[in-house]
């Protein structure tokens, strides 16, 4: 019996040492709570305490951690107040000032970086008897006003990763040593531009790690601190210097014995799904090429992160990573589908310059690729000949429905792609075709009567294009499950790809890489994403790998309206040239939930009946709130209850937002009436 107790005690001692030596930088609040509880249980066994762990034990442990964090923050403030900033560039100066601000926030308990009371955190831990404590249960709730034990401070200073203050003091007059001690240990979540302007594999990997953690723990309005504008500008400049030298159709020579090419379709700002894809398919390497078919931004919350990561890979491996342009890489789409609003949210006062920088980069993206002299890839599809586009004769409306001649790769090479929006006429209208066209089961190449942009092309055009250029495959993107919903001609894209044409010379595939799409919208499809794998020596026989969506943090939509509901055929050229007409804010799509599945048949709706002033009532839609208390939910809450909770939390927040907004408007109205009354009174007295 004694021997058995010693074995248990020895095991608990190892657990205690292991937890004390752990880095907490990548853990969320719930995991930290579990570790604190586990550590106190192990400590009780090692110290011979013959009782279960109590709330006070965890409170004491948490308070000790907080006190150490505050003490270290005071030391950091003291050091930063005494050190000289001479020699620091703007990027590092901003980070030092940000560190000082956060340290002051910890010491002063400022909102946003405040430290929660240990009692609040301990209340979230469900303590269990010793007989069942080997599987601790932790419940996590959101603490209002952003007050959490591990918030911004969690990623910077921890009980087991305290800054070596004595070491820093010994070098407080040495800039390099202070920077190394402070910046490296306290700013692991800020992206610094590499020394010497040389992007390395380690830097790209760090970038992906930092952006992924920031998406989970940083407010969008704080993103400008994670990736400063100087980093954005330098990365875009480095990438554009490569992209603008590439032809409209890049020739990818990958004829090595063990070479393979990964072709990726639309991503649409779904950053976490991109990270999952790179993990599953493997990162770019000497023998692994990547071709991305465009649509990196819009409709998702992390278009900036997606595009910056892909630009970093392009700069690192310019002959292994190829980025093609999609129709959403334009001013026209980004002003309507959310990317512009995303930039405005994340970069605030600097957003206009940042947004224009992205637009300039979009213009440099190539339009198509030919892989191993065998496979043609592009975003939209085939295109008319440049002679047909340049022909000024005929009525434009009649020409829209006329058959047009099929273009060639020689025509493609003549396009001036440096147009931020797709032209509707002239030789460069081929840009519209390449980015917007769609396949059809009807032979011929004809204008798209429903849209201003692009063409329909039939199986005969696919066959003619492949035969003329001695190719075997076309892999295009542009259409997801929403575009194929209700159609019978082609596959529904729910597994991420579809065979659309299959002829004598080869096949046409549509590829879509955004699972569980769209992130924001009236309806979300439970589709899988997919990527194509082309291997040497038989590049003409692709395999397709479907994948489900990664777990995403909950965010608010940047999408102002459902642009797919707009009839593009009714837009004239002036409207297309300036899309500010389309960007008027609209209510975001409200969540839906089938309460009948839970046996609830009178669930609350997003409609409220208000008096209409004439004795009747009018239905008013509850708006989405900018902030929802209680979300995100802890991961231990499963469907269908998770969806019900999210629906109700969203509705309550929307109602509170509506009341607050109406009260503010009423107060402003009353104030205006009072002001006018005072003016009338003053005029009367005068």
């Amino acid at each position: 019996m004694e021997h058995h107790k010693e074995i248990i005690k020895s095991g608990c001692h190892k657990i205690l040492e292991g937890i004390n030596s752990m880095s907490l930088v990548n853990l969320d609040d719930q995991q930290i709570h579990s570790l604190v509880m586990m550590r106190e249980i192990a400590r009780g066994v090692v110290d011979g305490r013959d009782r279960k762990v109590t709330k006070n034990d965890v409170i004491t442990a948490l308070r000790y951690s907080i006190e150490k964090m505050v003490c270290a923050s005071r030391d950091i403030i003291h050091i930063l107040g005494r050190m000289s900033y001479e020699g620091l560039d703007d990027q590092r100066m901003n980070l030092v000032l940000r560190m000082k601000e956060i340290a002051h926030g910890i010491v002063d308990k400022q909102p946003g970086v405040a430290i929660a009371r240990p009692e609040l955190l301990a209340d979230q831990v469900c303590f269990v008897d010793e007989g069942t404590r080997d599987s601790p249960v932790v419940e996590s709730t959101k603490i209002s006003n952003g007050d959490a034990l591990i918030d911004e401070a969690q990623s910077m200073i921890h009980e087991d990763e305290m800054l070596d203050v004595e070491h820093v003091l010994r070098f407080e007059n040495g800039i390099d040593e202070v920077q190394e001690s402070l910046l490296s240990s306290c700013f692991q979540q800020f992206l610094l531009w590499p020394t010497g302007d040389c992007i390395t594999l380690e830097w790209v990997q760090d970038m992906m790690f930092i952006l992924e953690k920031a998406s989970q723990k940083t407010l969008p309005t704080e993103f400008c601190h994670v990736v400063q504008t100087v980093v954005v500008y330098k990365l875009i400049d480095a990438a554009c210097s490569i992209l603008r030298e590439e032809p409209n159709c890049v020739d990818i020579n990958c004829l090595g014995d063990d070479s393979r090419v990964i072709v990726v379709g639309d991503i649409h700002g779904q950053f976490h799904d991109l990270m999952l894809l790179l993990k599953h398919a493997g990162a770019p390497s000497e023998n692994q090429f990547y071709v991305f078919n465009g649509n990196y931004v819009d409709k998702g919350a992390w278009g900036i992160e997606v595009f910056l990561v892909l630009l970093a890979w392009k700069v690192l491996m310019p002959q292994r990573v190829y980025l093609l342009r999609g129709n959403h890489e334009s001013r026209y789409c980004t002003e309507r589908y959310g990317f512009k609003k995303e930039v405005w949210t994340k970069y605030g006062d600097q957003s206009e310059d940042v947004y224009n920088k992205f637009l300039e980069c979009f213009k440099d993206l190539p339009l198509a690729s030919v892989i191993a002299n065998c496979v043609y890839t592009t975003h939209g599809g085939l295109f008319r000949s440049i002679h047909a586009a340049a022909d000024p004769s005929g009525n434009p409306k009649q020409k829209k429905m006329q058959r047009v001649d099929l273009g060639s790769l020689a025509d493609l090479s003549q396009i001036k792609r440096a147009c931020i929006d797709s032209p509707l006429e002239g030789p460069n209208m081929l840009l519209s075709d390449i980015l917007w066209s769609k396949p059809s089961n009807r032979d011929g190449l004809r204008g798209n009567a429903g849209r201003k942009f692009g063409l329909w092309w039939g199986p005969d055009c696919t066959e003619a294009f492949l035969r003329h250029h001695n190719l075997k495959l076309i892999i295009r993107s542009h259409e997801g499950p929403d575009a194929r919903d209700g159609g019978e001609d082609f596959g529904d894209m729910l597994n991420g790809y579809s065979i659309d044409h299959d002829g004598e010379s080869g096949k046409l595939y549509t590829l879509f890489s955004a699972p569980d799409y769209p992130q924001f919208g009236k309806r979300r499809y439970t589709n899988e994403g997919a990527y194509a794998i082309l291997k040497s020596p038989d590049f003409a026989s692709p395999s397709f790998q479907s994948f489900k969506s990664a777990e995403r943090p909950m965010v608010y939509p940047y999408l102002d309206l459902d642009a797919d509901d707009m009839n593009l055929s009714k837009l004239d050229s002036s409207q297309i040239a300036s899309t500010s007409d389309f960007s008027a804010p609209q209510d975001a799509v409200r969540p839906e939930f089938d309460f009948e599945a839970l046996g609830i048949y009178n669930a609350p709706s997003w409609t409220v009946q208000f008096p209409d002033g004439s004795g009747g009532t009018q239905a008013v839609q509850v708006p989405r709130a900018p902030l929802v208390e209680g979300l995100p939910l802890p991961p231990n809450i499963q469907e269908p209850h998770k969806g019900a909770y999210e629906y109700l939390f969203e509705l309550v927040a929307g109602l509170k937002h509506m009341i607050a907004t109406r009260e503010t408007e009423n107060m402003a109205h009353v104030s205006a009436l009072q002001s006018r009354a005072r003016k009338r009174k003053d005029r009367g007295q005068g």
Side-chain angles (χ1 to χ4, degrees), residues 146-257:
D147 297 347
L149 169 66
I150 306 297
D151 186 36
E152 284 190 74
Q154 174 189 331
S155 300
M156 301 191 181
I157 309 170
H158 300 280
E159 177 182 350
D160 301 309
E161 290 189 329
M162 304 307 290
L163 186 66
D164 188 346
V165 178
E166 292 183 2
H167 172 74
V168 176
L169 285 173
R170 286 199 301 269
F171 298 100
E172 61 181 290
N173 293 320
I175 294 298
D176 293 338
E177 290 81 355
V178 171
Q179 286 182 194
E180 182 178 356
S181 298
L182 290 179
L183 299 181
S184 64
S185 61
C186 296
F187 281 97
Q188 297 177 15
Q189 82 280 31
F190 291 93
L191 186 65
L192 296 175
W193 184 249
T195 304
D197 295 337
C198 181
I199 288 181
T200 64
L201 177 59
E202 181 181 10
W203 188 85
V204 176
Q205 291 171 336
D206 287 345
M207 177 190 196
M208 293 192 297
F209 175 83
I210 289 169
L211 293 182
E212 191 162 12
K213 293 304 174 185
S215 72
Q216 299 165 353
K217 299 182 179 297
T218 304
L219 292 173
T221 52
E222 295 293 311
F223 183 81
C224 57
H225 299 302
V226 178
V227 183
Q228 296 185 57
T229 54
V230 63
V231 177
V232 176
Y233 296 160
K234 285 180 176 290
L235 180 55
I236 289 179
D237 287 342
C240 286
S241 67
I242 299 169
L243 294 169
R244 68 173 60 102
E245 297 300 320
E246 294 181 334
N248 290 338
C249 182
V250 293
D251 187 13
I252 302 175
N253 182 6
C254 50
L255 300 178
D257 292 339

Side-chain angles (χ1 to χ4, degrees), residues 374-377 462 465-466 471-475 505-509 534 539-542 544:
C374 179
V375 181
Y376 173 77
T377 83
T462 296
F465 187 85
L466 292 174
L471 300 170
K472 300 298 182 183
L473 290 179
I474 298 175
I475 301 179
S505 296
K507 299 177 181 179
L508 165 70
Y509 289 93
L534 310 175
F539 290 98
S541 300
F544 291 85

Side-chain angles (χ1 to χ4, degrees), residues 71-86 88 92-107 156-157 163 165 168-169 171-175 177-187:
C71 289
S73 297
R74 289 196 183 101
D75 290 332
I76 289 173
I77 293 170
H78 176 70
I79 294 168
L80 294 178
R82 295 175 59 186
M83 67 180 279
S84 170
Y85 295 158
E86 184 179 355
L88 292 179
R92 284 169 171 77
M93 174 69 78
N94 290 335
L95 292 181
V96 169
L97 295 177
R98 178 64 177 156
M99 178 166 59
K100 189 174 182 179
E101 175 189 348
I102 293 173
H104 273 294
I106 294 171
V107 173
M156 301 191 181
I157 309 170
L163 186 66
V165 178
V168 176
L169 285 173
F171 298 100
E172 61 181 290
N173 293 320
I175 294 298
E177 290 81 355
V178 171
Q179 286 182 194
E180 182 178 356
S181 298
L182 290 179
L183 299 181
S184 64
S185 61
C186 296
F187 281 97

Side-chain angles (χ1 to χ4, degrees), residues 503-530:
E504 180 180 347
S505 296
K507 299 177 181 179
L508 165 70
Y509 289 93
T510 294
L511 177 66
F512 195 76
S513 302
D516 199 22
Y517 174 85
Q519 185 180 357
F520 308 123
K522 291 182 178 179
R523 174 184 175 184
R524 180 178 293 181
Y525 296 81
T526 55
N527 64 294
E528 295 178 319

